[in-house]
Amino acid sequence: MTTAYVGRRRRGDLVVTRRPEDTELTPDRSLDLVNHSPSGFEVGYRGSGPAQLACALLLDYYDDEQFAREHYIAFRNQVVSQLECDGAAACWHLPGEEIDAAMATLTDDVVALADGGRPSPTLPENWRTVSRPDRRVFQRADRDHYIVLGDGSDEWLVVLCSQGDRAYPAPLAHRTMSEEADVERVIRELTEESNDLIEPPEGEH
């Protein structure tokens, strides 16, 4: 049988069981990575309880601490926040295949970026540098375009993407380059590529 997770209420608290083993998932292991909700799990919104559950699910399912730490917020926002559990009976069922499918499409969660940011002297006037604790992100002020900079073991991945009304950001262009390369130049190239894209507003063709 394939792995699946089932949620239900027990005296008001959310209880999560892993099938087919019928073992109860607790926050304990995930609390060593992130401490959002020591008191337990929740679902149905973007908060601390769902964040703890998202981390616990990814950690339990993939058994990879770095993977869980890097992706649990995006997984919370796109999957755990959509689960519902209002009754005493088993109220949601999350198969491993659905976790795999979600993680195959999730990218860095640029949805949560606030509009604005700081102007940058090295970028065009319509681009801003956005403060993020985990990575460098640049946002276009007049269109829903983002540039996300992620560092790997020996190379940089620079992605230009757009959110629009999609559930996940859509990559528009990307560059992979060595750590010794001129990252700032590549970022400028992608901002220019974005500025050159002609995308009529929805409904206008």
Side-chain angles (χ1 to χ4, degrees):
M1 293 180 64
T2 59
T3 298
Y5 298 89
V6 176
R8 69 183 191 281
R9 293 287 178 191
R10 184 171 64 200
R11 294 187 295 277
D13 295 329
L14 179 66
V15 178
V16 180
T17 304
R18 175 180 171 135
R19 302 279 176 81
E21 299 88 349
D22 281 330
T23 55
E24 189 172 316
L25 186 66
T26 70
D28 296 349
R29 187 182 175 199
S30 63
L31 284 170
D32 291 337
L33 296 186
V34 295
N35 191 329
H36 287 288
S37 179
S39 59
F41 300 135
E42 265 305 336
V43 293
Y45 62 99
R46 298 186 180 194
S48 57
Q52 200 69 54
L53 176 57
C55 185
L57 285 170
L58 294 183
L59 185 59
D60 185 78
Y61 185 65
Y62 292 107
D63 195 26
D64 185 327
E65 292 185 356
Q66 181 175 350
F67 183 85
R69 186 184 292 111
E70 290 179 354
H71 297 286
Y72 78 96
I73 289 295
F75 185 65
R76 177 200 66 179
N77 292 349
Q78 303 297 347
V79 177
V80 178
S81 66
Q82 305 305 308
L83 300 175
E84 297 180 355
C85 196
D86 298 324
C91 44
W92 55 263
H93 179 264
L94 184 63
E97 292 89 343
E98 290 187 18
I99 297 176
D100 287 332
M103 298 315 301
T105 55
L106 283 175
T107 60
D108 186 64
D109 184 25
V110 296
V111 177
L113 291 174
D115 290 335
R118 299 186 310 276
S120 170
T122 61
L123 298 179
E125 289 183 0
N126 60 333
W127 281 85
R128 301 289 184 268
T129 301
V130 180
S131 296
R132 285 287 299 273
D134 54 342
R135 64 188 63 218
R136 294 172 65 189
V137 177
F138 307 89
Q139 181 180 23
R140 185 168 166 176
D142 57 347
R143 183 154 298 180
D144 184 23
H145 284 185
Y146 305 89
I147 294 175
V148 181
L149 177 63
D151 57 322
S153 55
D154 56 0
E155 62 184 12
W156 293 96
L157 176 63
V158 188
V159 182
L160 169 66
C161 52
S162 174
Q163 184 71 32
D165 58 0
R166 292 174 292 271
Y168 311 113
L172 301 175
H174 72 276
R175 304 281 192 278
T176 302
M177 50 190 295
S178 68
E179 287 188 333
E180 294 76 24
D182 185 355
V183 177
E184 299 296 333
R185 177 183 57 79
V186 172
I187 293 171
R188 287 195 301 272
E189 287 178 1
L190 287 175
T191 62
E192 292 166 3
E193 190 166 334
S194 166
N195 288 345
D196 289 340
L197 287 175
I198 300 175
E199 296 179 347
E202 201 162 317
E204 296 181 15
H205 298 284

